[in-house]
Amino acid sequence: MRGFRGGREEPGLLPGPEEHDEARTPNARRYEALGRVMAALAGEAEMLEACRDLAWWRGSDHSWHVEWRDGPHASEVAALLVERVHEPGHPGPLAGAAGPATASTASLDVMGVSFVLRAIDPLGMGRLRARPGLWRMSATLDRTVAAARRPASRQHWEELLGG
């Protein structure tokens, strides 16, 4: 609460310009880290398509929590983020593991900001890639290539159906 006495501001209760910038800097870094994480995830369409109910929120300790259903394991997402979150002029990655990563949980440090990743009922990318689906371009291309290699002779079921 900002105090006023007799219509004048009390000295020291309202932040000056230098104090105001210092108060905003940690929040700016937190949101920049979140933006970099989301940008890295957005570059992985296959991973995002596999996740249901993707949600994120700020924790009480100013960390970010990212949660999803189905989709990849938390350890797979953590590995992807460590690989992809970087600054073009910076020599190393801006993200690193902050603890053990399992199929359901992982902890990361991105630019000094803590991220907690949580996968609910994860399938893993191996199973997701093996599952056929119309959304997978590779499955569509595989069917096209297989159709182009079809033998010139008619199949037995084509004979029966008169095709």
Side-chain angles (χ1 to χ4, degrees), residues 116-141:
V116 178
L117 307 177
R118 185 169 176 227
I120 300 171
D121 299 328
L123 299 174
M125 289 306 292
R127 274 186 62 193
L128 290 170
R129 287 185 179 120
R131 184 172 61 179
L134 296 176
W135 58 274
R136 291 192 45 82
M137 185 176 285
S138 63
T140 305
L141 292 175

Side-chain angles (χ1 to χ4, degrees), residues 32 36 84-94:
E32 181 181 356
R36 289 178 185 265
R84 300 279 168 93
V85 176
H86 62 286
E87 177 71 31
H90 193 268
L94 297 176

Side-chain angles (χ1 to χ4, degrees), residues 24-106:
R24 279 193 322 199
T25 302
N27 281 332
R29 190 180 69 246
R30 284 185 198 103
Y31 283 100
E32 181 181 356
L34 176 65
R36 289 178 185 265
V37 165
M38 290 302 167
L41 291 176
E44 292 295 318
E46 184 178 45
M47 185 175 286
L48 283 181
E49 287 290 324
C51 295
R52 287 188 318 131
D53 303 329
L54 179 66
W56 60 92
W57 64 93
R58 199 164 128 183
S60 61
D61 58 348
H62 300 290
S63 64
W64 287 104
H65 295 258
V66 182
E67 185 176 277
W68 63 91
R69 292 188 179 282
D70 298 337
H73 294 163
S75 58
E76 293 171 330
V77 174
L80 174 94
L81 291 174
V82 167
E83 176 186 328
R84 300 279 168 93
V85 176
H86 62 286
E87 177 71 31
H90 193 268
L94 297 176
T102 65
S104 59
T105 61

